[in-house]
Amino acid sequence: MSAQPANQPAEDTTLDAEVTGIVTDLLEEHGSETAALRALAHDFVILLADADRSVSRGYLRGLFSQGARPVPEKDA
């Protein structure tokens, strides 16, 4: 027995259909291709900066790498 009546088409759940829907939504929200691309680029840069801050660089050659937790200062 089918979950949908025979006269209704199945929803397209492919990756291409999802991407197309996202692009359509972006164009509707921002009004132009340029504005949509600017919004995507902005979000991408913010995500990259956030990811860069949250990634541990580890302990390299006896020194903490740049971006890692600061080394606590010793009280003199």
Side-chain angles (χ1 to χ4, degrees):
M1 197 174 339
S2 177
Q4 294 182 353
N7 60 352
Q8 291 187 1
E11 185 177 331
D12 189 0
T13 58
T14 63
L15 180 61
D16 187 49
E18 185 174 349
V19 170
T20 301
I22 291 170
V23 169
T24 302
D25 292 344
L26 279 170
L27 290 174
E28 287 175 3
E29 180 180 346
H30 296 284
S32 72
E33 292 87 358
T34 303
L37 286 172
R38 287 180 65 94
L40 284 174
H42 176 267
D43 291 349
F44 188 66
V45 169
I46 297 299
L47 286 171
L48 285 176
D50 186 49
D52 191 47
R53 280 191 304 271
S54 66
V55 171
S56 172
R57 301 290 189 259
Y59 194 74
L60 305 171
R61 296 184 189 161
L63 300 172
F64 279 102
S65 62
Q66 184 177 2
R69 291 186 307 255
V71 178
E73 296 181 21
K74 294 181 181 178
D75 293 323

